[in-house]
Amino acid sequence: MPNIKIFSGSSHPDLSQKIADRLGLELGKVVTKKFSNQETCVEIGESVRGEDVYIVQSGCGEINDNLMELLIMINACKIASASRVTAVIPCFPYARQDKKDKSRAPISAKLVANMLSVAGADHIITMDLHASQIQGFFDIPVDNLYAEPAVLKWIKENINEWKNCTIVSPDAGGAKRVTSIADRLNVDFALIHKERKKANEVDRMVLVGDVKDRVAILVDDMADTCGTVCHAADKLVSAGAIKVYAILTHGIFSGPAISRINNANFEAVVVTNTIPQEDKIKHCSKIQVIDISMILAEAIRRTHNGESVSYLFSHVPL
């Protein structure tokens, strides 16, 4: 493809390389480093004048450093006369801070949106936003891609009893996500109502739906400390589920997450590679990874060619 450059930030170079390989392109030359006072320095190593530039940087690892690095890379390309700069952010940082849910609380996702726009981004490509209204925080185009097609493909290929399963949301907020998957599989769905004492700590859970003598598949957009999904797995087993799987788009797995998964009643915990999982897999054999580089690569190709990206909401290009 002519007039296109893809650069990788330092958060997830493996995913960036897979995207470039699928497009038949080489990653652009960029050097990222820090000065002794920990300021981030970025040097774009080739001309981007008149080019359609895509910068791949996920909101994981050292999130604040990686976000700052992305902003600097966008600005560096913009002032170097790139015709368009698209930020490809597989896991959007600060997405859980999307509303003012108590007095004096910040809406940090809106702040990040403002920062990306001010830095010079012309377009955002992301995946499974924690709250779809975040798209409205931007005054530039946002393509929120879905991992759902890849999830459906994994379920059909890896769960023999998928026709006798129930798709379960671990909270009421994910009801729309699980009903969509359940409808496309033509199976039942259920949800778990949870009450929190405070953030990252669940007090009580109530199952709404039937999982007795069925395979239960928990589906959520992200898991951080995994307290919710592990409590949900216990609830499903006590309700009569014969097997429990968890399928998550963004596997953050911070704090006690890995030990909780190892001790939980999961057949497998399946995540996409929007966040690097190599280190986590070494400590937890239950974790399996779905590669979504093909979805992001196809979105980049279609965006560059001026084609509709909505095709990706129902298909997985192979």
Side-chain angles (χ1 to χ4, degrees):
M1 292 186 289
N3 303 113
I4 180 172
K5 293 284 177 71
I6 298 180
F7 295 97
S8 174
S10 58
S11 67
H12 200 346
D14 179 63
L15 177 61
S16 303
Q17 188 63 59
K18 286 179 178 177
I19 292 170
D21 290 344
R22 288 183 178 273
L23 292 170
L25 300 171
E26 295 287 334
L27 286 175
K29 297 175 183 177
V30 59
V31 176
T32 59
K33 58 185 179 182
K34 289 188 177 181
F35 294 123
S36 60
N37 66 350
Q38 298 305 301
E39 286 184 1
T40 299
C41 175
V42 173
E43 297 175 7
I44 306 296
E46 54 192 85
S47 174
V48 295
R49 183 177 295 275
E51 301 280 357
D52 189 10
V53 174
Y54 295 83
I55 301 171
V56 183
Q57 181 82 311
S58 198
C60 57
E62 298 291 336
I63 292 178
N64 296 330
D65 286 350
N66 290 334
L67 175 59
M68 194 66 204
E69 181 181 285
L70 173 61
L71 297 171
I72 294 172
M73 290 179 73
I74 292 169
N75 189 250
C77 291
K78 197 66 179 179
I79 63 177
S81 300
S83 65
R84 178 174 62 177
V85 179
T86 299
V88 182
I89 313 172
C91 181
F92 194 86
Y94 291 89
R96 285 176 287 182
Q97 299 182 45
D98 62 304
K99 58 186 177 291
K100 190 178 176 71
D101 55 359
K102 52 183 176 288
S103 298
R104 297 172 297 281
I107 307 178
S108 303
K110 169 62 174 170
L111 174 61
V112 172
N114 289 343
M115 292 164 69
L116 289 165
S117 297
V118 170
D122 299 296
H123 179 209
I124 305 293
I125 296 175
T126 187
M127 177 165 279
D128 272 2
L129 282 170
H130 184 65
S132 58
Q133 69 262 22
I134 292 174
Q135 295 171 89
F137 294 171
F138 290 88
D139 293 323
I140 57 177
V142 178
D143 283 315
N144 180 29
L145 307 177
Y146 298 109
E148 181 181 307
V151 168
L152 291 168
K153 185 170 182 284
W154 189 92
I155 290 173
K156 291 179 178 179
E157 291 179 354
N158 294 275
I159 302 178
N160 295 328
E161 314 94 325
W162 69 267
K163 291 183 179 179
N164 181 40
C165 76
T166 300
I167 310 297
V168 184
S169 173
D171 56 36
K176 185 176 180 181
R177 184 181 298 107
V178 300
T179 52
S180 175
I181 292 175
D183 287 345
R184 294 183 65 180
L185 291 174
N186 194 28
V187 297
D188 292 337
F189 71 92
L191 64 86
I192 293 174
H193 172 66
K194 64 183 179 182
E195 297 175 358
R196 291 185 184 273
K197 289 180 179 178
K198 56 185 179 181
N200 285 337
E201 186 176 326
V202 178
D203 182 24
R204 190 170 69 95
M205 287 188 158
V206 178
L207 175 64
V208 182
D210 181 26
V211 295
K212 186 174 177 58
D213 299 325
R214 296 187 180 189
V215 173
I217 304 175
L218 280 161
V219 177
D220 206 356
D221 65 316
M222 66 171 60
D224 189 353
T225 59
C226 290
T228 298
V229 291
C230 290
H231 276 108
D234 293 338
K235 187 72 178 178
L236 293 170
V237 169
S238 65
I242 54 177
K243 291 182 182 178
V244 180
Y245 294 84
I247 302 181
L248 316 159
T249 304
H250 310 297
I252 300 171
F253 300 149
S254 65
I258 296 301
S259 62
R260 284 175 173 173
I261 293 172
N262 282 327
N263 295 324
N265 294 302
F266 289 118
E267 295 292 316
V269 175
V270 184
V271 295
T272 71
N273 60 340
T274 57
I275 294 173
Q277 300 296 341
E278 290 78 8
D279 290 341
K280 306 295 193 305
I281 291 172
K282 292 176 183 177
H283 298 97
C284 182
S285 60
K286 294 180 182 179
I287 295 175
Q288 299 183 31
V289 179
I290 299 174
D291 180 19
I292 46 80
S293 62
M294 64 282 198
I295 299 177
L296 295 170
E298 183 68 6
I300 290 172
R301 188 191 69 78
R302 287 176 168 269
T303 299
H304 179 67
N305 293 334
E307 301 173 15
S308 171
V309 178
S310 61
Y311 169 90
L312 300 176
F313 297 164
S314 57
H315 296 77
V316 179
L318 300 175

